[in-house]
Amino acid sequence: MQYKRIINHYLNVYLGDMKVCEFTIQDILKCIENMKCHLSNKTLQDNIVTLKGIIKYGNTLGYCHIPLEVIPNIKYQKKEMQILSNQELQLIEDYIFLDTDDKKIGLMICLYTGIRLGEICALTWDDIDLENRRIEINKTIHRINEKGKSYTIIGTSKTVCSKRFIPIHPQLYHFLLDRQQRSGYILTGTNKYLDPRSYQYYFKRTLASLNIQNYKFHILRHTFATKCVQCQIDVKSLSEILGHSSVTITLNTYVHSSFEMKKAEMVKYKLF
């Protein structure tokens, strides 16, 4: 799905209708230079990785003969992880408990599970098992781009590891118990799901109304994961809760201690 999006959104735009057998080194380098002018380093890096994969396959089949080493790599620095402050979390929680509606229920679930935007939009009340206190994540909403038009569909989870059961936190359990419905999507209470873009806009409007800076929806997932690390929740368990394909992804993304945490840990050191 990711490769298809890159091909349709970027490579087809910058390379036009060229076939793999028509590629030359000059075409590839010109394409990369053009993308540099319009894309972030992260997006450019993803595009180059995909392009290299296409060329490598074309070389193997004899469709083209382009040495991969001439294609430059792009390095980028990850931005510092942003999470919601305790004050911001308190504002959001107060907002949720004030005249709770379907969309606010979704926010509460995200705060206590860290599920992705597409996953909360696809989540139904049938996926919530209050008796066994667990939430099943087995689908997400994908955006498909074809011939200049886009639309959404309900599809399987992002990866095999994305299909998972998440234990329900006691506070979330009591919150859902008081608001449980029999069927329908969590965010609408009907059999029609909410488009992820619409929920993203709702989240941004909510932040603005609370005088919180403009964050992306993904900050709820970052905040959940970072708080779990701070609470010393087992990283393997956290990785599976988040639906990561490996513990390494969780470690590289979220396990970064602050200087104060380093100071607290350093006092544990003993030379003898």
Side-chain angles (χ1 to χ4, degrees):
M1 190 66 68
Q2 173 76 351
Y3 290 145
K4 184 177 180 180
R5 183 184 67 81
I6 289 174
I7 291 170
N8 291 336
H9 276 210
Y10 302 109
L11 298 185
N12 284 349
V13 173
Y14 289 95
L15 285 170
D17 297 327
M18 291 180 61
K19 297 179 181 178
V20 176
C21 60
E22 299 173 338
F23 286 176
T24 66
I25 294 175
Q26 289 74 21
D27 292 326
I28 300 302
L29 295 179
K30 183 179 179 181
C31 170
I32 292 173
E33 286 302 314
N34 288 336
M35 289 193 294
K36 278 184 181 179
C37 299
H38 302 95
L39 306 178
S40 68
N41 282 352
K42 174 63 170 67
T43 302
L44 180 59
Q45 184 190 55
D46 291 342
N47 289 355
I48 290 175
V49 169
T50 303
L51 183 57
K52 280 188 172 183
I54 293 171
I55 292 172
K56 182 178 181 180
Y57 187 63
N59 287 343
T60 301
L61 296 181
Y63 293 148
C64 58
H65 302 281
I66 298 177
L68 296 179
E69 57 269 19
V70 305
I71 302 176
N73 293 313
I74 302 296
K75 294 183 179 181
Y76 74 98
Q77 282 189 325
K78 288 185 178 181
K79 294 181 180 179
E80 185 178 347
M81 181 73 66
Q82 285 187 310
I83 66 169
L84 293 163
S85 67
N86 289 340
Q87 182 181 3
E88 290 169 334
L89 286 169
Q90 188 62 62
L91 287 171
I92 293 173
E93 188 172 79
D94 290 344
Y95 167 77
I96 290 172
F97 279 93
L98 180 65
D99 300 323
T100 302
D101 58 25
D102 296 320
K103 294 186 181 69
K104 291 180 180 179
I105 292 174
L107 292 181
M108 189 70 169
I109 291 174
C110 289
L111 283 172
Y112 280 88
T113 63
I115 64 176
R116 303 176 177 93
L117 175 58
E119 292 172 340
I120 186 61
C121 289
L123 195 68
T124 67
W125 283 103
D126 290 337
D127 298 320
I128 296 181
D129 182 355
L130 290 179
E131 182 178 352
N132 294 302
R133 300 197 181 200
R134 66 183 189 178
I135 297 174
E136 182 177 5
I137 306 297
N138 54 28
K139 55 190 177 297
T140 189
I141 294 181
H142 301 286
R143 178 163 291 278
I144 306 297
N145 294 276
E146 291 182 351
K147 299 179 180 178
K149 296 182 179 180
S150 67
Y151 58 92
T152 56
I153 61 168
I154 291 278
T156 55
S157 298
K158 187 177 178 182
T159 64
V160 173
C161 295
S162 293
K163 293 182 178 180
R164 61 203 189 276
F165 288 99
I166 300 176
I168 298 177
H169 186 279
Q171 187 164 341
L172 179 60
Y173 169 77
H174 292 294
F175 177 86
L176 294 175
L177 192 64
D178 293 337
R179 296 162 177 82
Q180 185 181 18
Q181 298 181 25
R182 291 187 178 180
S183 61
Y185 288 95
I186 297 294
L187 299 183
T188 64
T190 70
N191 292 324
K192 185 176 181 180
Y193 64 77
L194 184 68
D195 186 296
R197 284 182 179 176
S198 297
Y199 201 40
Q200 173 81 280
Y201 295 147
Y202 161 80
F203 179 65
K204 289 180 177 291
R205 290 195 303 270
T206 298
L207 295 183
S209 70
L210 299 174
N211 293 317
I212 298 175
Q213 66 172 296
N214 185 23
Y215 294 115
K216 293 183 178 180
F217 190 88
H218 210 67
I219 197 169
L220 297 178
R221 182 170 170 85
H222 288 328
T223 300
F224 169 80
T226 303
K227 290 286 185 181
C228 284
V229 172
Q230 291 173 353
C231 293
Q232 299 184 338
I233 290 176
D234 171 63
V235 177
K236 173 62 175 175
S237 298
L238 175 58
S239 180
E240 293 180 0
I241 289 171
L242 292 172
H244 285 161
S245 57
S246 72
V247 174
T248 303
I249 295 174
T250 309
L251 289 170
N252 289 341
T253 306
Y254 297 110
V255 183
H256 301 287
S257 60
S258 67
F259 185 71
E260 291 304 316
M261 291 174 65
K262 292 186 178 82
K263 284 173 62 178
E265 291 299 310
M266 185 62 82
V267 300
K268 299 177 181 178
Y269 173 74
K270 292 182 180 180
L271 187 58
F272 298 105

